Amino acid sequence: MTDIDIGISKKNRSEISEGLKHLLADTYTLYLQTHNFHWNVTGLQFRELHLMFEEQYQELALAVDDIAERIRTLDVAAPGTYKAFAELSSIKEVDGVPSSTDMVKYLTKGHEQVVKTARKVLKVAQEANDESSASLVSDRMRVHEKTAWMLRATQA
């Protein structure tokens, strides 16, 4: 493979990629959690939550691919194992099957955490004039902020 020359230094590409790895791990962990809750939700809001969680995990599945491909575009290897994601993620796994109300709370916190992780990498990308990474991260923030709002609204 030839050397990469996209106007971003190797040092900056490495720093941005490290942040994107954390964003990828958080996103993948949230994907798994959302898919798990989709399968296991019960209760009076079953249909509504089952369908909402399905929409959310499908969107997250696309997001992990976009984030991993951006890391690769910066010429850094993307993490792709449970072990790596567990080490990088800020989102903790949930044991057992919580109530539907708790599922919504866990997912809301998860989406809010992804926003916080994204804010960190956004700053690094902006400082390096990496508009492509900044745009990707900004778009992800908007999705997670809206999803957290929708989840909170189910509990109002």
Side-chain angles (χ1 to χ4, degrees):
M1 190 172 204
T2 61
D3 290 335
I4 182 172
D5 183 15
I6 59 173
I8 304 169
S9 72
K10 184 174 184 173
K11 178 181 181 286
N12 285 341
R13 286 187 284 113
S14 178
E15 290 171 351
I16 294 162
S17 294
E18 282 307 307
L20 289 172
K21 287 177 184 181
H22 287 275
L23 182 61
L24 177 61
D26 281 358
T27 304
Y28 197 85
T29 302
L30 187 58
Y31 161 80
L32 288 173
Q33 194 173 80
T34 305
H35 211 155
N36 176 29
F37 292 171
H38 164 77
W39 289 328
N40 291 299
V41 68
T42 59
L44 295 175
Q45 292 183 295
F46 166 78
R47 181 165 171 72
E48 175 188 351
L49 293 177
H50 183 75
L51 294 173
M52 180 188 288
F53 295 165
E54 182 173 18
E55 289 172 5
Q56 291 172 4
Y57 80 69
Q58 288 176 344
E59 193 282 329
L60 290 164
L62 296 173
V64 295
D65 198 51
D66 288 342
I67 298 164
E69 288 178 356
R70 183 62 195 162
I71 295 168
R72 291 300 301 136
T73 300
L74 294 172
D75 202 31
V76 175
T81 65
Y82 291 123
K83 180 180 178 182
F85 290 148
E87 291 171 357
L88 291 165
S89 184
S90 305
I91 298 172
K92 302 302 173 210
E93 291 189 36
V94 176
D95 291 326
V97 179
S99 68
S100 61
T101 301
D102 285 342
M103 287 178 178
V104 170
K105 289 177 184 175
Y106 282 121
L107 293 179
T108 301
K109 283 183 146 191
H111 283 278
E112 291 171 345
Q113 180 56 54
V114 174
V115 171
K116 291 185 252 182
T117 300
R119 284 192 194 288
K120 291 177 186 175
V121 69
L122 178 63
K123 183 177 179 180
V124 175
Q126 288 172 330
E127 289 172 356
N129 294 315
D130 179 358
E131 187 60 37
S132 296
S133 293
S135 178
L136 170 68
V137 172
S138 179
D139 289 347
R140 295 307 316 149
M141 287 172 59
R142 186 172 44 257
V143 168
H144 291 285
E145 288 170 347
K146 183 175 181 178
T147 303
W149 161 60
M150 290 186 166
L151 287 162
R152 284 190 303 272
T154 68
Q155 300 298 297

